[in-house]
Amino acid sequence: TEDQEEIDKFLSENRDYWDYVDEDFYNASRGVSRVKFYLEDSDEGRRELRRITQVFPNREFITRKVKDEDWENNWKAYYKPIEVGKRLLIVPQWEKAPENTDRRVLRLDPGLIFGTGSHATTKLCLAAIEEFITPGCAVLDLGCGSGILAIASLILGAGEAVGCDIDDKAPDVVMRNAALNGVEGSLQVFAGDVTGEAVRRRLEGRHFHLVLANIVADVIISLSGEVGRYMEPQGVFICSGIIDGREQEVRSALEAAGLTVMDHRRQEDWHAFICTKGGVNDE
């Protein structure tokens, strides 16, 4: 069932999870109510369709045939190996890794969790991790999704990583991906709201060389006042997922929290900031 009131309610109640909604999608729902349903293309299905149209004689019915496809897995045909930064090659679990590559291979099966490496926000984070990782360091990934950033950090030389995501399916997905790369022994992951008290208690006293947040602007703003407690004295905070137009608002929150923006990077319509507790501002 689709109508504008339900869509408006859903968007307003879940504002923390995105900054951008496709304008064409939203406009298509304006002033319209729809009920979509699927029937088997058979005599029984056609009888059911006739029954429904008779029950609602004053409604417009639009029908079309759709192929009987594997909707859960069809997307995999479009997810191919991706070179990111100077050192990483992200390879879907079901694809064969290219031979004779000098890049570090990261195997990934994201399932239904965000984070394949193809999105600009993830690429910005991965490239920054390459630059600021140090051998044996500890990494915290807030909003870890599929685990791609934490796993990449371990592949690139981190000694340990901790991940957290609000989706309770994330820990299983992350640990399966960690096992694909042989780093499951160095990774811990749990479900929780990264801005919530339970997560703060769980991370109390822990300090990390890299803290990562590839989320959305509002969550990064909420995190800005407390992320410093998770950072080593010379630690680095890499945040991305910031849609064009929100970057100055995020930067102001980071600086107001006492963080120094070392670098501001852009790719497509997305922004990332690299911050420390001290140092020289990029401007």
Side-chain angles (χ1 to χ4, degrees), residues 49-147:
L49 180 59
R50 285 195 298 271
R51 188 188 71 80
I52 293 171
T53 57
Q54 290 168 2
V55 172
F56 300 100
N58 298 320
R59 296 293 182 263
E60 178 185 7
F61 284 82
I62 300 171
T63 62
R64 66 185 180 93
K65 292 185 178 182
V66 294
K67 294 180 179 179
D68 184 13
E69 298 183 8
D70 185 355
W71 299 106
E72 185 175 358
N73 293 301
N74 281 355
W75 64 275
K76 292 181 179 179
Y78 303 97
Y79 181 30
K80 299 297 182 182
I82 305 167
E83 291 187 353
V84 180
K86 298 177 180 179
R87 299 167 59 189
L88 283 172
L89 177 66
I90 301 167
V91 180
Q93 184 268 335
W94 54 89
E95 289 278 341
K96 184 178 180 181
E99 297 181 2
N100 302 320
T101 180
D102 58 356
R103 288 175 173 261
R104 301 287 182 89
V105 173
L106 192 164
R107 286 282 187 182
L108 195 70
D109 183 359
L112 301 178
I113 302 292
F114 177 80
T116 64
S118 60
H119 198 274
T121 60
T122 310
K123 290 179 179 178
L124 284 165
C125 282
L126 289 169
I129 289 170
E130 282 190 1
E131 288 184 47
F132 293 98
I133 200 85
T134 59
C137 73
V139 176
L140 173 63
D141 186 359
L142 297 169
C144 59
S146 67

Side-chain angles (χ1 to χ4, degrees), residues 155-166:
I155 289 173
L156 292 170
E160 63 171 319
V162 176
C164 173
D165 196 278
I166 198 168

Side-chain angles (χ1 to χ4, degrees), residues 3-278:
D3 64 50
Q4 185 177 343
E5 182 179 349
E6 286 192 359
I7 292 174
D8 287 346
K9 181 181 178 182
F10 181 80
L11 294 177
S12 65
E13 291 179 351
N14 294 273
R15 188 66 178 81
D16 285 347
Y17 303 108
W18 52 69
D19 286 319
Y20 173 76
V21 176
D22 184 84
E23 188 174 346
D24 291 338
F25 164 78
Y26 184 75
N27 288 338
S29 71
R30 194 180 299 278
V32 176
S33 295
R34 299 183 183 89
V35 176
K36 294 182 178 180
F37 56 92
Y38 296 83
L39 299 170
E40 188 177 76
D41 188 9
S42 64
D43 290 342
E44 182 180 352
R46 284 185 282 276
R47 283 195 299 271
E48 180 68 5
L49 180 59
R50 285 195 298 271
R51 188 188 71 80
I52 293 171
T53 57
Q54 290 168 2
V55 172
F56 300 100
N58 298 320
R59 296 293 182 263
E60 178 185 7
F61 284 82
I62 300 171
T63 62
R64 66 185 180 93
K65 292 185 178 182
V66 294
K67 294 180 179 179
D68 184 13
E69 298 183 8
D70 185 355
W71 299 106
E72 185 175 358
N73 293 301
N74 281 355
W75 64 275
K76 292 181 179 179
Y78 303 97
Y79 181 30
K80 299 297 182 182
I82 305 167
E83 291 187 353
V84 180
K86 298 177 180 179
R87 299 167 59 189
L88 283 172
L89 177 66
I90 301 167
V91 180
Q93 184 268 335
W94 54 89
E95 289 278 341
K96 184 178 180 181
E99 297 181 2
N100 302 320
T101 180
D102 58 356
R103 288 175 173 261
R104 301 287 182 89
V105 173
L106 192 164
R107 286 282 187 182
L108 195 70
D109 183 359
L112 301 178
I113 302 292
F114 177 80
T116 64
S118 60
H119 198 274
T121 60
T122 310
K123 290 179 179 178
L124 284 165
C125 282
L126 289 169
I129 289 170
E130 282 190 1
E131 288 184 47
F132 293 98
I133 200 85
T134 59
C137 73
V139 176
L140 173 63
D141 186 359
L142 297 169
C144 59
S146 67
I148 184 172
L149 301 182
I151 294 168
S153 299
L154 293 168
I155 289 173
L156 292 170
E160 63 171 319
V162 176
C164 173
D165 196 278
I166 198 168
D167 191 331
D168 58 11
K169 296 185 294 294
D172 288 340
V173 172
V174 173
M175 294 311 295
R176 286 199 299 270
N177 284 323
L180 289 175
N181 295 278
V183 297
E184 66 272 27
S186 302
L187 177 59
Q188 299 176 1
V189 61
F190 59 94
D193 181 349
V194 297
T195 62
E197 181 60 34
V199 170
R200 283 193 287 270
R201 288 197 301 269
R202 185 154 188 166
L203 295 173
E204 190 68 37
R206 298 289 307 273
H207 298 95
F208 302 85
H209 175 67
L210 289 185
V211 179
L212 315 171
N214 183 22
I215 317 180
V216 294
D218 286 326
V219 178
I220 294 170
I221 290 170
S222 297
L223 278 172
S224 60
E226 58 191 81
V227 71
R229 74 172 70 186
Y230 306 134
M231 297 168 64
E232 294 177 351
Q234 302 303 315
V236 177
F237 178 44
I238 300 169
C239 56
S240 185
I242 305 157
I243 191 67
D244 202 27
R246 301 292 307 277
E247 67 274 15
Q248 189 54 52
E249 185 182 353
V250 173
R251 180 179 188 133
S252 295
L254 295 169
E255 293 177 338
L259 297 171
T260 297
V261 175
M262 291 195 300
D263 200 1
H264 174 193
R265 300 180 181 183
R266 304 167 179 84
Q267 187 170 339
E268 298 173 13
D269 294 329
W270 300 91
H271 299 254
F273 291 105
I274 300 170
C275 311
T276 62
K277 288 184 176 181

